[in-house]
Amino acid sequence: MEVVQNDTTTETKTAINSWRYRHHFTYKADQGKNIIVQCNLCLPKVNLLSTSKTSTSNLKKHLDRTHLGCDARPDAKRARRDESSHCQLKKIKAEILSKCLTQTRIDDLIFDFVVEDCQSFYLLEQPGFKKLIAGLSDGLKVTDRVTLFTKVDLAFSKMREELMTKLNNIQYVCTTADIWTANSESFLGMTCHWIDPNTLERKSAALGFARLQGRITYETIAGRIHDIHLAYNIEGKVQTTFTDNGSPFISVFKEFALNNQEKDDIGHFENVSAVLDGEPEQEMLLFLPPVQRCASHTLEHIVTEDFWRAISQGPMCQLHYSAMSKLYSMWNKCHHMQVGMGCAEEIGRMALVVPNVIRWNVEYCAIQKIVSLSERELTELCARLEVSRLQPEEMAFLKEYVTVFHPLAFALELFQAEQKCYFGLVIPTVLSLKTKLNEHKDAANYFGDVINAIVVAIDLRFQELFSSTESKIATATTPQFRLWWMAASEREEMCAMLSSMASQVDLSVVTDGASTETLPTIQSEDDFFNYGPVKPPQQVQPRTVTEEIKKFVEGTGKTLECLQDFPRVKQLFLKYNTMLPSTAPVQRLFSQKGNLVNCQRSVLTDGYFERIQLLKYNSQLYTAVTK
């Protein structure tokens, strides 16, 4: 058939001219009621198609059947594309599962789940848990209890071995100890802390989480602490052990202190159960390191006991009681949330802090947030909670409370910061705290007498610290403070003490296997090219102890890196600043959000319960070994 192309006027009369996909076709000829077009998508193959002048259905069918990607039918094409994408996603998901979710990976994830949340090992045998893992992992199995026991034992052994290797290369360490009791079960927790001699960074690890059974005596506590020190070979490295200010711990360390020459009126405690059972008596040779009171615990005693004693004896007692009672009513309502959802949204919008633990600094933050609310927000919140509004005088009292005791809250935060807190921080913090409190005394309308009472309490409770030689050396060897905190008349005597202590430092002791020999450095081209006459090496005259101490005291650098230029001062810093000022780390060991004593924990033996807790705290020590 011979096709003759017509002019453009004939072409414009067809339906294809108004079709949205006309650009895929080229008009060729007119054939009665139909037209002949060429498909551009079929090129270079010449494909002539016939379609009605008033309809483009034939061309649509051609596009749908032959050219799926040309978007001729959007709905049909989108459906095919979605179906194709879904199939591709399923294939990609299957490939990811096959590569990532292997049986070993599933076992590791289950191990992390059990350790992180202190789950019962019997959970692995529950049908629902097996079905969950099989559905998420595309048919992989749940590891059995025996395998998990073995994995926990292996991880614990490697973690302990790695920790002992680190501690063997450390010269000075300190420990913290605390006893936690709940539901008639008592646990002794211990943590260990040291400073890396190369980077001067604080390092920490958990040593024990032992269950205490039977009658808890001084001998029982001392024996547990001594055994933990022996288990990690650190009994000769512990500079001090930090505990809270409770009388049992202080009495234990006084009774079994290594340098205890005079026996206090504490008495000797026998194991009554052993005597009744007829066991032969064995002399206990227990020696504990020196004990140091927790500085943050001392401050908390000041803001609770001494503050309340001062406020109760003054004219502001009734005002303090009425303001705090309204705040506690507000917090209790927020705890129970017996109000509508609108109040919950209002609390979330205001970012209201609700104290849920009995700590003064948490309560202070909650009061600070209440005071920061505008009058309209506070009125609306009290109305929704259905509590009494705070009167203007009560708000003024609370605002002054927040302003006056902000330095105290800041000092508590410093003492509880584990990584950047050293023992040398305590004396400057206490001195600065007294200065800040006295600055607010003249402008205070309500707390003038209370500030005087708190300053007197600070002097009384920290009297032993200011008379301690160890605390003075720790502060003097901290670059941030040096001797600037001391009176000018006392600095000469302190320099003599530092020189005496530094002269006893053995610089030949090399930690972490580091070598003291250094290769000559390239400072210029003459150092790089060794042709021609050789320059005699410059002899660096070593500084004397007195010169090093004088140079350090007169320095102005505040970072720890400057200690690298003073090797003797650095050794003193490591010895006396390894100690922590608070027991916050061991308290964090017990912070498990109520997951210590429950139905899940009851089916775990004491040994495996301790292992899980130590693995959780020391996860950075075994992750690189087992994963």
Side-chain angles (χ1 to χ4, degrees), residues 540-548 551-552 565-568:
V540 179
Q541 297 295 333
R543 289 179 296 190
T544 63
V545 175
T546 305
E547 291 174 346
E548 181 177 333
K551 189 75 172 177
F552 172 76
D565 298 331
F566 308 95
R568 296 181 181 89

mmCIF file of all heavy atoms in Angstrom, residues 540-548 551-552 565-568:
data_model
loop_
_atom_site.group_PDB
_atom_site.id
_atom_site.type_symbol
_atom_site.label_atom_id
_atom_site.label_comp_id
_atom_site.label_asym_id
_atom_site.label_seq_id
_atom_site.Cartn_x
_atom_site.Cartn_y
_atom_site.Cartn_z
ATOM 1 N N VAL A 540 70.664 18.794 77.477
ATOM 2 C CA VAL A 540 69.589 19.425 78.240
ATOM 3 C C VAL A 540 69.821 19.141 79.717
ATOM 4 O O VAL A 540 69.813 17.987 80.143
ATOM 5 C CB VAL A 540 68.213 18.891 77.789
ATOM 6 C CG1 VAL A 540 67.109 19.549 78.610
ATOM 7 C CG2 VAL A 540 68.011 19.140 76.305
ATOM 8 N N GLN A 541 70.055 20.203 80.441
ATOM 9 C CA GLN A 541 70.309 20.046 81.856
ATOM 10 C C GLN A 541 68.995 19.741 82.587
ATOM 11 O O GLN A 541 68.034 20.507 82.470
ATOM 12 C CB GLN A 541 70.923 21.335 82.434
ATOM 13 C CG GLN A 541 72.273 21.682 81.847
ATOM 14 C CD GLN A 541 73.322 20.646 82.195
ATOM 15 O OE1 GLN A 541 73.226 19.960 83.224
ATOM 16 N NE2 GLN A 541 74.329 20.512 81.328
ATOM 17 N N PRO A 542 68.951 18.624 83.285
ATOM 18 C CA PRO A 542 67.718 18.309 84.015
ATOM 19 C C PRO A 542 67.477 19.309 85.143
ATOM 20 O O PRO A 542 68.415 19.773 85.792
ATOM 21 C CB PRO A 542 67.990 16.907 84.549
ATOM 22 C CG PRO A 542 69.478 16.802 84.626
ATOM 23 C CD PRO A 542 70.003 17.617 83.494
ATOM 24 N N ARG A 543 66.203 19.619 85.357
ATOM 25 C CA ARG A 543 65.859 20.547 86.416
ATOM 26 C C ARG A 543 65.882 19.855 87.768
ATOM 27 O O ARG A 543 65.527 18.678 87.881
ATOM 28 C CB ARG A 543 64.470 21.131 86.170
ATOM 29 C CG ARG A 543 64.408 22.100 85.010
ATOM 30 C CD ARG A 543 63.010 22.623 84.789
ATOM 31 N NE ARG A 543 62.096 21.568 84.414
ATOM 32 C CZ ARG A 543 60.858 21.774 83.971
ATOM 33 N NH1 ARG A 543 60.399 22.998 83.842
ATOM 34 N NH2 ARG A 543 60.090 20.769 83.650
ATOM 35 N N THR A 544 66.247 20.583 88.757
ATOM 36 C CA THR A 544 66.189 20.047 90.106
ATOM 37 C C THR A 544 64.739 20.017 90.576
ATOM 38 O O THR A 544 63.842 20.591 89.945
ATOM 39 C CB THR A 544 67.038 20.891 91.059
ATOM 40 O OG1 THR A 544 66.482 22.226 91.111
ATOM 41 C CG2 THR A 544 68.490 20.960 90.584
ATOM 42 N N VAL A 545 64.526 19.356 91.686
ATOM 43 C CA VAL A 545 63.173 19.257 92.225
ATOM 44 C C VAL A 545 62.630 20.634 92.568
ATOM 45 O O VAL A 545 61.482 20.984 92.248
ATOM 46 C CB VAL A 545 63.162 18.333 93.459
ATOM 47 C CG1 VAL A 545 61.773 18.317 94.090
ATOM 48 C CG2 VAL A 545 63.591 16.935 93.089
ATOM 49 N N THR A 546 63.467 21.449 93.202
ATOM 50 C CA THR A 546 63.014 22.794 93.592
ATOM 51 C C THR A 546 62.680 23.646 92.383
ATOM 52 O O THR A 546 61.683 24.386 92.370
ATOM 53 C CB THR A 546 64.097 23.476 94.445
ATOM 54 O OG1 THR A 546 64.423 22.635 95.564
ATOM 55 C CG2 THR A 546 63.615 24.830 94.946
ATOM 56 N N GLU A 547 63.533 23.544 91.338
ATOM 57 C CA GLU A 547 63.271 24.316 90.129
ATOM 58 C C GLU A 547 61.988 23.868 89.449
ATOM 59 O O GLU A 547 61.217 24.697 88.939
ATOM 60 C CB GLU A 547 64.452 24.173 89.165
ATOM 61 C CG GLU A 547 65.722 24.855 89.647
ATOM 62 C CD GLU A 547 66.902 24.579 88.743
ATOM 63 O OE1 GLU A 547 66.798 23.658 87.894
ATOM 64 O OE2 GLU A 547 67.918 25.271 88.876
ATOM 65 N N GLU A 548 61.724 22.566 89.419
ATOM 66 C CA GLU A 548 60.498 22.076 88.778
ATOM 67 C C GLU A 548 59.254 22.533 89.529
ATOM 68 O O GLU A 548 58.267 22.966 88.919
ATOM 69 C CB GLU A 548 60.529 20.549 88.709
ATOM 70 C CG GLU A 548 59.308 19.958 88.031
ATOM 71 C CD GLU A 548 59.381 18.448 87.906
ATOM 72 O OE1 GLU A 548 60.511 17.910 87.849
ATOM 73 O OE2 GLU A 548 58.306 17.808 87.856
ATOM 74 N N LYS A 551 58.827 26.290 88.921
ATOM 75 C CA LYS A 551 58.331 26.542 87.565
ATOM 76 C C LYS A 551 56.851 26.183 87.442
ATOM 77 O O LYS A 551 56.076 26.908 86.800
ATOM 78 C CB LYS A 551 59.152 25.712 86.576
ATOM 79 C CG LYS A 551 58.902 26.038 85.120
ATOM 80 C CD LYS A 551 59.548 27.332 84.721
ATOM 81 C CE LYS A 551 59.454 27.545 83.212
ATOM 82 N NZ LYS A 551 60.017 28.843 82.797
ATOM 83 N N PHE A 552 56.441 25.094 88.052
ATOM 84 C CA PHE A 552 55.035 24.688 87.982
ATOM 85 C C PHE A 552 54.144 25.667 88.723
ATOM 86 O O PHE A 552 53.072 26.055 88.232
ATOM 87 C CB PHE A 552 54.864 23.289 88.560
ATOM 88 C CG PHE A 552 53.439 22.849 88.704
ATOM 89 C CD1 PHE A 552 52.696 22.453 87.604
ATOM 90 C CD2 PHE A 552 52.814 22.858 89.950
ATOM 91 C CE1 PHE A 552 51.365 22.069 87.742
ATOM 92 C CE2 PHE A 552 51.493 22.466 90.087
ATOM 93 C CZ PHE A 552 50.777 22.077 88.980
ATOM 94 N N ASP A 565 55.113 18.469 81.104
ATOM 95 C CA ASP A 565 56.403 19.153 81.252
ATOM 96 C C ASP A 565 56.949 19.068 82.667
ATOM 97 O O ASP A 565 58.074 19.524 82.908
ATOM 98 C CB ASP A 565 56.254 20.627 80.859
ATOM 99 C CG ASP A 565 55.842 20.796 79.407
ATOM 100 O OD1 ASP A 565 56.196 19.917 78.592
ATOM 101 O OD2 ASP A 565 55.159 21.798 79.091
ATOM 102 N N PHE A 566 56.179 18.519 83.580
ATOM 103 C CA PHE A 566 56.607 18.412 84.980
ATOM 104 C C PHE A 566 56.408 16.971 85.445
ATOM 105 O O PHE A 566 55.373 16.643 86.046
ATOM 106 C CB PHE A 566 55.807 19.384 85.859
ATOM 107 C CG PHE A 566 55.819 20.803 85.362
ATOM 108 C CD1 PHE A 566 54.781 21.282 84.568
ATOM 109 C CD2 PHE A 566 56.868 21.650 85.672
ATOM 110 C CE1 PHE A 566 54.783 22.589 84.113
ATOM 111 C CE2 PHE A 566 56.874 22.966 85.208
ATOM 112 C CZ PHE A 566 55.839 23.435 84.429
ATOM 113 N N PRO A 567 57.367 16.096 85.167
ATOM 114 C CA PRO A 567 57.153 14.664 85.447
ATOM 115 C C PRO A 567 56.930 14.351 86.915
ATOM 116 O O PRO A 567 56.118 13.476 87.246
ATOM 117 C CB PRO A 567 58.443 14.015 84.920
ATOM 118 C CG PRO A 567 59.438 15.119 84.841
ATOM 119 C CD PRO A 567 58.671 16.355 84.565
ATOM 120 N N ARG A 568 57.615 15.045 87.816
ATOM 121 C CA ARG A 568 57.432 14.762 89.244
ATOM 122 C C ARG A 568 56.064 15.232 89.720
ATOM 123 O O ARG A 568 55.389 14.538 90.483
ATOM 124 C CB ARG A 568 58.542 15.429 90.058
ATOM 125 C CG ARG A 568 59.951 14.897 89.755
ATOM 126 C CD ARG A 568 60.974 15.598 90.635
ATOM 127 N NE ARG A 568 62.328 15.128 90.348
ATOM 128 C CZ ARG A 568 63.119 15.651 89.433
ATOM 129 N NH1 ARG A 568 62.687 16.680 88.686
ATOM 130 N NH2 ARG A 568 64.347 15.175 89.254
#
